[in-house]
Amino acid sequence: MVKALGDLCLCCIQQHLDTIPNVGAGLPTLYKERLIERLAYHDLLFKSYLPHVSYNLFCEALRHIKLYKCQQVDDHFLTLLGQARCQLEVLVIHGCSSVTDVGVQAVTEGQQNLCVLELKKLPKMTSAGLTSIASPVLWQVEIKRCPLVTCDGLSALTRQCPAIKVLHIAHCPKLDRQSYTVVAAQLGPVLEELDMGIPSITDQELGSLAENCPNLKKLDLSGAKAVGKEALIKLFQGCTRLQNLDLSYSSRLAQACECQALWTLPQSLKELSLCGVLIEDEQVFVEGLQRLRCLSSVRLCGVPALTDATLSQVLETIGPNLESLDISGGFSKSLTDEGLRAVSKYCVKLQELCLSLLSQVTGVTLVPVFQTAERALNFRKLYLSCRMLDASVLSVVAATCHELRLLEISGVVLVNDELLYQLAENCHQLSHLGIKGCRQVTNDGVCELVRHCPIRSLVLSGIHSLTDQCIFTLANSCPLLEEIYLNGCAQISPAAVRYLSDCCIGRLFVRHAIPNAVPNQLMARNLDTGEFCRADLMPLAPPLSQT
């Protein structure tokens, strides 16, 4: 893949707003929005350039603004944007740590058409920043890692925006469990999706949701250690439309009398997560899941009651409708290839399968699944990081899963360049690949893969043989790359990684921690190949002869 002509033109414009005469007059609004987003991605909003940005791109017609991890986005920038009098529909401010209440208020004041709002990683924003948000059509809100936001701010937001259907809040330590009661009382039957990320919720707060929010369709209770059977039964009776429920790490359900709540799970559920719930009662576990005939996605990793026998009993009933199954995790040693035979037999519609960290599994009983063309074409995501994984499984996956988007095979020692060649030839939709610690892989395999697949996320940590060659190939072939992990790749230079970041359209997340450099190590660019290499290891040129 290479950059599209339109992307090349936008890259040119974003770097020359100060020299192209009146360029903003001829740009449609869509491209102005994209340019603002890309300028933030590449930290081009410096003070001397900002007047050209505001003059050419800020206008009343702007509707979608997304600002991601740019420290140049501050209160002044947001004030200029607010002064453009644009009526925004979508506003995302993520990771702009210089922004305070002043900036948030300036850009949200009077926004009556705002539908989607995301405020993430804003350490200086307090509850006062939320007081100016008053949109009658705001339906989706996400507030994460804003440590100064309190229940008062959340109360003001939900009171002034009564149409919120989707509310996601996480890692806001000043919010306590009373926030559930406030949200339930003020949004009531309008609320359909809730994730508060407050593990201290008790039966009392869960009861307020059951009484006030009958239309809840999705509820995240992961880590809710104090929630028990009686409160859950009340929730299920009050919220009869519940379709997605996350009970991960709800430790109270591990108790013998409390786990019976599984018998009362609403049959309307389509997605369920019991990840890390230490249920040991196999009868309750099996019977509870067998009732849920509408399930399309279930996560069961880390559940002691999950064995070869119970997995077979569960899948016999709900397997035919499952599209996503997660039974990964190193907790259960009783899950073997015999249990996976049930996956092969009953799960005929699977699009996602997670088997990572199963120490007793080779995966050979799954081969018939991938050998059936119709079933193989269904798969979009596969997590197969099992140290005993058989080579035949990876080979057939690479040969038949042509619609695969994500493949996680980190730590599988038999992964080599030949497998990457197969993926490059057959899996042209692959965008996420994890091959951490696969030390048989070399530059050749990575380069061949990225030339043929639209890679967005790549995990290469621990592959010490990789050099700048694969990074330059990524720069030339993967303009949509969003994240790359290179920990331990000591032969890849920081300069090459910076070049890669500049070539990507969006902001590239990079994790590149390498061991301490060898004393006197010197990296330099080879002018013939363009590759950065160890100059201190190159032979010295012979001295010029003296005349």
Side-chain angles (χ1 to χ4, degrees):
M1 291 184 61
V2 295
K3 283 182 181 176
L5 178 59
D7 290 321
L8 289 172
C9 293
L10 287 176
C11 288
C12 179
I13 293 172
Q14 77 183 29
Q15 296 173 11
H16 298 94
L17 286 170
D18 55 340
T19 58
I20 303 176
N22 202 25
V23 63
L27 280 174
T29 303
L30 172 64
Y31 295 111
K32 291 183 178 181
E33 293 170 349
R34 288 185 182 178
L35 281 168
I36 293 171
E37 186 175 356
R38 294 184 184 193
L39 286 163
Y41 282 149
H42 291 277
D43 299 315
L44 294 175
L45 298 172
F46 39 85
K47 289 183 178 180
S48 61
Y49 203 52
L50 185 55
H52 304 285
V53 174
S54 60
Y55 177 77
N56 287 294
L57 303 182
F58 290 1
C59 64
E60 292 186 4
L62 295 176
R63 295 294 180 266
H64 299 76
I65 295 295
K66 297 181 180 180
L67 306 167
Y68 181 66
K69 289 189 176 180
C70 180
Q71 305 316 309
Q72 297 164 337
V73 173
D74 55 12
D75 293 343
H76 177 57
F77 176 90
L78 295 178
T79 299
L80 290 175
L81 184 59
Q83 291 172 352
R85 298 182 180 179
C86 48
Q87 286 298 306
L88 298 178
E89 297 175 3
V90 176
L91 175 61
V92 177
I93 307 176
H94 184 176
C96 304
S97 59
S98 300
V99 171
T100 71
D101 296 333
V102 174
V104 175
Q105 290 173 347
V107 76
T108 57
E109 185 76 37
Q111 296 290 350
Q112 294 294 303
N113 297 326
L114 192 62
C115 297
V116 176
L117 175 66
E118 295 183 17
L119 302 173
K120 302 179 183 179
K121 293 187 177 180
L122 304 180
K124 296 181 180 180
M125 186 188 77
T126 71
S127 293
L130 304 178
T131 56
S132 61
I133 304 169
S135 170
V137 294
L138 182 62
W139 68 273
Q140 180 175 324
V141 175
E142 191 165 352
I143 302 174
K144 293 186 176 181
R145 297 190 183 277
C146 297
L148 301 181
V149 171
T150 66
C151 190
D152 290 339
L154 182 60
S155 177
L157 176 66
T158 52
R159 183 175 61 253
Q160 295 168 180
C161 304
I164 296 176
K165 294 181 180 180
V166 177
L167 181 59
H168 291 181
I169 299 178
H171 304 291
C172 298
K174 289 197 173 183
L175 291 176
D176 56 26
R177 64 175 186 264
Q178 297 302 321
S179 302
Y180 282 99
T181 304
V182 170
V183 168
Q186 296 188 167
L187 297 181
V190 174
L191 191 63
E192 295 182 1
E193 185 172 323
L194 181 62
D195 175 7
M196 295 282 281
I198 303 175
S200 60
I201 182 175
T202 65
D203 290 351
Q204 181 179 352
E205 289 76 42
L206 197 59
S208 66
L209 289 176
E211 294 173 2
N212 295 286
C213 306
N215 295 317
L216 265 183
K217 294 180 180 179
K218 182 176 181 179
L219 180 61
D220 190 332
L221 295 175
S222 56
K225 300 179 181 180
V227 169
K229 178 180 69 173
E230 298 302 326
L232 286 173
I233 292 174
K234 186 176 181 180
L235 174 73
F236 302 152
Q237 291 174 342
C239 303
T240 57
R241 300 184 181 183
L242 206 58
Q243 296 179 5
N244 186 317
L245 179 63
D246 191 340
L247 293 173
S248 300
Y249 306 103
S250 299
S251 54
R252 187 173 165 186
L253 295 181
Q255 300 175 21
C257 58
E258 300 290 347
C259 71
Q260 295 174 6
L262 298 188
W263 278 333
T264 65
L265 288 169
Q267 293 181 296
S268 58
L269 283 181
K270 294 183 179 180
E271 299 181 40
L272 173 66
S273 176
L274 298 176
C275 180
V277 180
L278 304 180
I279 301 171
E280 297 183 355
D281 191 319
E282 295 183 5
Q283 180 181 359
V284 172
F285 174 73
V286 171
E287 293 178 356
L289 290 176
Q290 284 180 333
R291 297 175 56 256
L292 308 178
R293 304 298 180 94
C294 295
L295 274 185
S296 61
S297 173
V298 63
R299 297 184 64 207
L300 303 174
C301 45
V303 179
L306 182 66
T307 65
D308 287 346
T310 58
L311 180 62
S312 180
Q313 293 173 46
V314 168
L315 294 184
E316 183 178 4
T317 304
I318 68 172
N321 291 323
L322 282 183
E323 297 176 359
S324 176
L325 174 64
D326 184 352
I327 51 176
S328 59
F331 184 87
S332 176
K333 295 184 178 180
S334 56
L335 201 59
T336 69
D337 288 316
E338 187 58 34
L340 297 189
R341 197 180 301 276
V343 177
S344 180
K345 183 176 181 180
Y346 300 114
C347 300
V348 295
K349 296 181 180 179
L350 277 184
Q351 298 180 16
E352 177 179 354
L353 179 61
C354 307
L355 303 177
S356 296
L357 304 178
L358 294 179
S359 59
Q360 306 298 318
V361 164
T362 66
V364 292
T365 54
L366 290 174
V367 170
V369 176
F370 303 115
Q371 288 178 333
T372 306
E374 183 179 356
R375 296 175 70 178
L377 289 174
N378 284 335
F379 281 100
R380 300 295 186 269
K381 298 180 181 180
L382 285 172
Y383 298 81
L384 302 175
S385 297
C386 301
R387 61 182 179 85
M388 294 180 61
L389 195 69
D390 193 87
S392 63
V393 180
L394 289 177
S395 180
V396 70
V397 165
T400 62
C401 296
H402 302 303
E403 299 298 321
L404 198 62
R405 268 66 167 175
L406 181 151
L407 180 61
E408 174 56 57
I409 46 177
S410 294
V412 181
V413 295
L414 52 82
V415 173
N416 55 24
D417 286 345
E418 185 59 36
L419 176 67
L420 299 191
Y421 296 152
Q422 284 185 282
L423 291 170
E425 181 179 356
N426 299 307
C427 304
H428 294 164
Q429 305 300 321
L430 189 65
S431 59
H432 294 67
L433 178 67
I435 50 174
K436 176 181 178 181
C438 300
R439 299 188 178 185
Q440 294 190 56
V441 170
T442 70
N443 284 331
D444 293 341
V446 174
C447 291
E448 183 69 12
L449 178 83
V450 302
R451 289 191 187 105
H452 293 86
C453 300
I455 296 296
R456 289 179 176 267
S457 175
L458 192 57
V459 182
L460 301 173
S461 301
I463 307 179
H464 307 306
S465 62
L466 298 182
T467 69
D468 287 344
Q469 178 185 350
C470 70
I471 300 301
F472 286 121
T473 304
L474 275 164
N476 294 329
S477 306
C478 299
L480 300 179
L481 189 65
E482 297 173 354
E483 58 180 1
I484 187 167
Y485 295 83
L486 299 166
N487 286 349
C489 299
Q491 297 192 66
I492 293 177
S493 68
V497 176
R498 286 194 295 271
Y499 176 73
L500 173 62
S501 298
D502 291 338
C503 290
C504 293
I505 291 175
R507 180 179 294 279
L508 179 64
F509 175 83
V510 178
R511 187 63 60 84
H512 184 206
I514 60 176
N516 292 333
V518 177
N520 302 318
Q521 175 176 317
L522 176 65
M523 303 295 294
R525 185 194 294 271
N526 185 320
L527 296 180
D528 294 325
T529 65
E531 181 178 353
F532 284 82
C533 52
R534 289 279 301 278
D536 55 302
L537 297 180
M538 298 175 63
L540 296 175
L544 296 174
S545 59
Q546 296 181 352
T547 58

